Amino acid sequence: MTDTPPIDRLIAIMARLRDPENGCPWDLEQTFRTILPYTLEEAYEVAEAVEREDMTALRDELGDLLLQVVFHARLAEEGGHFAFADVVESVCAKLIRRHPHVFGTLELADAATVLDHWERLKAAERAQTRVDEPGALAGVARTLPALVRAEKLQRRAARVGFDWDEPLAVLAKVEEELAECRATLTDQATPSERIHEIGDLLFACVNLARHLGVEAEQALRAANRRFEQRFAQVERGLREQGLEPSPETRDEMERQWTLAKATERRG
């Protein structure tokens, strides 16, 4: 088995784990739905390794994600639907089809033109295979993270001309939505009204990020990391004084937070 190509070895290991007589009891119990959370988790762990620029972790996480692909393909093969080789053939054909400027004679000037052509090809493919109601927004997966899905919906709408002309107009919309959120800070506002207005504000913020060339999901992930790092420094500063985070140490936490931000800027 050691002379077997690595991908074939992985496929064989997965088949062994799913062997009805001698396989792993846990692996044998799994279905597409039960392993889906692991698939999503592994994709996020790949993203985290990339953001940390940790190549060792990235190698391991890509392996874990590949395992998920092989697992899904094995389940599909057992059900008589398709095998791993079909998955590979499908993506190879798709890459060739969507890169006529590389594998054909089409000439595209730059990366932006390539991306626009790619999206047009995808739209044409969706139109040929669509089983749901046609429309510019059809086919955007509902299981995507909300920020990612918002950006994809906005990009789809923009391709048919439904978009703001420039970032300042979007910023004005953000300010408008913020004012509407402020209006819900009354006892008369219902929870559903607040959810509605916060959702509109977040959607407008994603739109602003898109117009500024920023991926909202990545920006928020980076903000989460900064918050974690700063708060960890706040806790260290408190411990050095024999204190703990609490409502009673709020003023000192604010002071330590300011110090953490200053340290971050210097770094």
Side-chain angles (χ1 to χ4, degrees):
M1 185 177 251
T2 55
D3 295 331
T4 304
I7 188 61
D8 291 340
R9 186 179 178 208
L10 176 58
I11 293 169
I13 290 172
M14 189 70 251
R16 178 72 172 78
L17 291 172
R18 289 281 299 177
D19 182 85
E21 295 184 2
N22 300 305
C24 169
W26 185 88
D27 288 279
L28 286 168
E29 288 182 354
Q30 303 314 304
T31 66
F32 291 111
R33 289 187 179 274
T34 62
I35 66 170
L36 181 57
Y38 300 103
T39 307
L40 297 173
E41 179 181 342
E42 297 301 348
Y44 280 115
E45 290 182 358
V46 167
E48 184 175 348
V50 170
E51 290 167 355
R52 295 201 318 264
E53 298 183 353
D54 186 336
M55 293 298 105
T56 300
L58 179 58
R59 178 199 63 200
D60 293 342
E61 299 303 344
L62 285 172
D64 291 344
L65 184 58
L66 177 59
L67 172 60
Q68 294 300 309
V69 176
V70 171
F71 206 149
H72 280 283
R74 179 63 197 178
L75 293 173
E77 184 173 2
E78 292 172 1
H81 306 296
F82 57 83
F84 181 81
D86 300 308
V87 175
V88 175
E89 180 58 36
S90 175
V91 73
C92 286
K94 185 182 298 182
L95 285 171
I96 293 171
R97 184 171 66 250
R98 292 183 180 176
H99 289 82
H101 53 293
V102 176
F103 301 103
T105 58
L106 183 67
E107 294 185 6
L108 298 176
D110 50 36
T113 307
V114 169
L115 181 60
D116 180 68
H117 188 73
W118 174 281
E119 293 295 343
R120 291 180 185 278
L121 286 174
K122 286 175 63 177
E125 290 171 6
R126 285 193 299 270
Q128 292 176 354
T129 60
R130 182 173 293 140
V131 295
D132 55 357
E133 184 178 349
L137 306 183
V140 180
R142 298 181 185 276
T143 53
L144 287 170
L147 290 180
V148 175
R149 189 163 193 267
E151 183 174 351
K152 285 186 175 291
L153 290 171
Q154 292 165 7
R155 288 189 183 280
R156 291 280 191 88
R159 287 208 301 272
V160 295
F162 192 73
D163 198 10
W164 303 98
D165 293 328
E166 44 90 24
L168 284 177
V170 190
L171 183 59
K173 183 62 176 177
V174 171
E175 293 168 344
E176 174 190 326
E177 298 296 351
L178 182 60
E180 293 181 3
C181 283
R182 185 176 292 113
T184 66
L185 300 178
T186 65
D187 293 337
Q188 289 74 35
T190 66
S192 61
E193 288 174 330
R194 289 171 177 158
I195 291 172
H196 180 100
E197 298 303 343
I198 286 291
D200 286 350
L201 176 60
L202 290 172
F203 194 84
C205 286
V206 172
N207 226 333
L208 178 61
R210 181 175 62 86
H211 275 264
L212 295 178
V214 174
E215 291 188 13
E217 181 75 15
Q218 289 188 0
L220 185 55
R221 288 170 65 88
N224 289 340
R225 289 197 304 276
R226 287 195 303 274
F227 182 85
E228 289 175 319
Q229 292 164 358
R230 291 172 184 172
F231 198 78
Q233 186 170 332
V234 168
E235 291 179 310
R236 286 194 296 271
L238 289 174
R239 284 196 298 270
E240 290 171 359
Q241 303 174 63
L243 302 174
E244 294 182 352
S246 70
E248 289 73 24
T249 58
R250 168 85 176 265
D251 290 344
E252 181 59 22
M253 283 195 288
E254 292 286 356
R255 190 181 77 82
Q256 291 292 335
W257 180 268
T258 301
L259 288 174
K261 290 182 66 176
T263 301
E264 183 181 280
R265 285 194 294 270
R266 289 196 299 270

